[in-house]
Amino acid sequence: MRELKVVGLDVDGRRIICESDDSKELFTLRADDRLRAAVRGDKVASNQTQIDVEVQNVLRPKEIQSKIRAGASVEQVAAAAGMPIDRVERFAHPVLLERSRAAELATAAHPMLTDGPAVLTLLEAVSTALVSRGLDPDAINWDAWRNEDSRWTVQLAWKAGRSDNVAHFRFTPGAHGGTVTASDEAAYQLINPDVARPLRPVAPVAELDFEPPVAPAADTSPADETEAPAAPAPTRSRKARPAVPAWEDVLLGVRSSGTQR
């Protein structure tokens, strides 16, 4: 076993430069948690194996929370670090609540338009736009994460038919709920008062070259002309019988015309 001595630090400050006594060969040693623990004289707990210690030292709790706050999921952090999901969840839970609260606050913020903040809140503007397009505003999902500049990005996700759609906003907390600014075209279309614009551009349908069907010509022969209905035949009435004079008129000599003989 060769013995090394420390001669300095690397330029990044994360590696220790060592040198051998015999050949003056240089070596670098990463300054990780295990090295610090060895320098302090810490020992591995009796109920933990060396592999467990190595896995748990891959990411510290603050590093886990930093990645979750930046938008990573529990599954993504666990897979990237080779850590158990339940361990990541233990430290990620408060940060997930923080992200959920930021998304909730953003829905009450007012979208920034060309002429200033809108009267409607982000939730009201988005719901109006989705309803006008025949979509369900209750079937949307909100999420938020903090960027490197400490500002919040808010994401809205929804389905339209079989397609998954997302829109992103920049959320700035402040008075009266704060403001949100569209970060992409989908977000701009959602908060634009012109709700008649489509959320996704549709290419125009190519015009097909075909001849319209020829309608059959109408037959204008005199036989088709509508004739006036014939007048109904007059109803035949019963023949009027001659008036028969009454018996008193015969005795008095009165004619049927009413004159006396």
Side-chain angles (χ1 to χ4, degrees):
M1 183 178 296
R2 300 170 63 182
E3 185 175 351
L4 304 175
K5 65 178 180 180
V6 177
V7 296
L9 291 176
D10 198 358
V11 290
D12 59 2
R14 298 180 179 179
R15 291 176 175 82
I16 300 173
I17 301 176
C18 302
E19 184 185 48
S20 62
D21 291 333
D22 51 358
S23 63
K24 301 300 181 182
E25 187 178 359
L26 297 179
F27 301 88
T28 59
L29 180 64
R30 184 181 297 275
D32 56 9
D33 291 338
R34 288 183 294 172
L35 177 60
R36 298 186 185 95
V39 173
R40 293 193 304 265
D42 297 344
K43 295 182 180 180
V44 179
S46 58
N47 60 345
Q48 288 182 313
T49 65
Q50 186 66 30
I51 297 179
D52 293 334
V53 175
E54 292 177 0
V55 171
Q56 293 181 8
N57 284 333
V58 171
L59 286 179
R60 292 176 293 180
K62 288 185 177 180
E63 294 173 334
I64 294 175
Q65 293 180 342
S66 176
K67 293 182 179 296
I68 296 295
R69 187 176 287 109
S73 65
V74 173
E75 294 75 13
Q76 290 173 339
V77 173
M83 302 174 61
I85 292 181
D86 56 350
R87 174 174 169 79
V88 177
E89 287 178 340
R90 181 169 54 185
F91 301 108
H93 182 69
V95 182
L96 292 175
L97 292 178
E98 179 185 354
R99 287 172 52 177
S100 177
R101 178 58 177 167
E104 181 181 0
L105 292 175
T107 61
H110 297 271
M112 289 295 297
L113 305 177
T114 56
D115 56 350
V119 176
L120 298 178
T121 64
L122 177 60
L123 179 60
E124 293 170 341
V126 167
S127 299
T128 301
L130 293 179
V131 169
S132 68
R133 293 165 173 85
L135 302 175
D136 184 5
D138 295 329
I140 58 180
N141 295 315
W142 296 92
D143 194 7
W145 55 82
R146 192 182 289 274
N147 303 308
E148 295 180 355
D149 58 359
S150 298
R151 297 182 62 184
W152 286 98
T153 292
V154 180
Q155 176 179 278
L156 169 64
W158 75 96
K159 290 184 70 68
R162 296 183 178 180
S163 62
D164 296 321
N165 305 276
V166 292
H168 298 92
F169 306 88
R170 297 295 296 272
F171 171 46
T172 303
H176 307 290
T179 59
V180 288
T181 306
S183 298
D184 50 34
E185 181 63 20
Y188 175 76
Q189 292 183 16
L190 284 173
I191 63 177
N192 190 342
D194 183 14
V195 296
R197 297 181 58 188
L199 283 176
R200 301 181 65 184
V202 179
V205 179
E207 296 184 0
L208 300 179
D209 186 12
F210 65 92
E211 296 182 357
V214 179
D219 189 0
T220 57
S221 59
D224 290 338
E225 294 182 358
T226 304
E227 297 180 357
T235 305
R236 299 177 60 184
S237 60
R238 297 180 179 179
K239 184 182 294 186
R241 296 180 180 179
V244 179
W247 178 253
E248 293 84 356
D249 295 338
V250 174
L251 293 178
L252 296 177
V254 180
R255 297 181 180 271
S256 59
S257 59
T259 58
Q260 189 175 4
R261 290 180 182 178

